[in-house]
């Protein structure tokens, strides 16, 4: 009856954000513009990423940029993108300078290998190896 539909993020710089996510294979799906907001929907496989860019916006709280602190705060934490080979994904991100910090691959409590990066707005994105 139900299926996952989309994740929404609000961003400061729309063009920089679109360029970033397009490097991961996201493509424009739908868009809307008015005097107050730009809304772009990107699609990657069955995943839809809805991007809001309000003309007047509030910055991401600093604690949301630190996974160790943010996971303890109630609310949405991050979204994940699956990959077949975590090491190839790490190399792609490093080669394209898509992370401003050292990438550490971790084996999680549930047995999956993953790492986190931040998008240009500081939003956490998990890269996780699929079965």
């Amino acid at each position: 009856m139900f299926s996952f539909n989309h994740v929404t993020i609000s961003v400061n710089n729309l063009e920089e954000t679109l360029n970033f996510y397009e490097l991961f294979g996201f493509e424009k799906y739908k868009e809307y513009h008015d005097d107050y907001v730009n809304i772009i929907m990107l699609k990657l496989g069955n995943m839809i990423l809805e991007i809001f860019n309000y003309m007047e916006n509030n910055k991401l709280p600093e604690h949301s940029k630190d996974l160790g602190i943010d996971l303890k705060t109630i609310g949405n934490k991050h979204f994940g993108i699956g990959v077949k080979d975590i090491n190839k994904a790490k190399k792609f991100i490093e080669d394209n300078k898509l992370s401003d910090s050292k990438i550490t691959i971790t084996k999680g409590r549930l047995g999956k290998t993953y790492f986190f990066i931040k998008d240009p707005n500081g939003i956490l994105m998990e890269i996780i190896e699929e079965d």
Side-chain angles (χ1 to χ4, degrees), residues 20-64:
F20 178 84
Y21 285 104
E22 286 170 352
L23 288 171
F24 291 89
F26 283 90
E27 296 178 353
K28 277 189 189 178
Y29 174 57
K30 293 182 179 182
E31 56 187 287
Y32 169 84
H33 306 275
D34 67 25
D35 292 339
Y36 304 100
V37 66
N38 297 304
I39 302 170
I40 307 285
M41 293 181 96
L42 301 178
K43 201 168 191 181
L44 178 65
N46 291 328
M47 179 182 185
I48 296 173
L49 180 62
E50 184 176 35
I51 300 172
F52 280 72
N53 173 236
Y54 282 92
M55 302 314 152
E56 293 184 29
N57 55 57
N58 301 319
K59 289 186 177 185
L60 182 69
E62 285 303 312
H63 75 272
S64 293

Side-chain angles (χ1 to χ4, degrees), residues 9-11 16-17 19-21 23-24 49 60-70 77-81 93-94 96-104 115-127:
I9 61 174
S10 291
V11 304
E16 183 179 35
T17 300
N19 290 337
F20 178 84
Y21 285 104
L23 288 171
F24 291 89
L49 180 62
L60 182 69
E62 285 303 312
H63 75 272
S64 293
K65 297 177 185 179
D66 184 326
L67 183 66
I69 296 170
D70 194 49
K77 304 293 108 196
H78 63 269
F79 66 93
I81 294 181
I93 288 166
E94 289 171 340
N96 287 282
K97 298 178 174 59
L98 298 174
S99 178
D100 61 357
S101 59
K102 184 177 184 289
I103 295 173
T104 303
F115 61 86
F116 282 88
I117 62 171
K118 292 179 234 169
D119 81 356
N121 307 280
I123 297 168
L124 289 166
M125 186 170 126
E126 180 180 18
I127 309 298

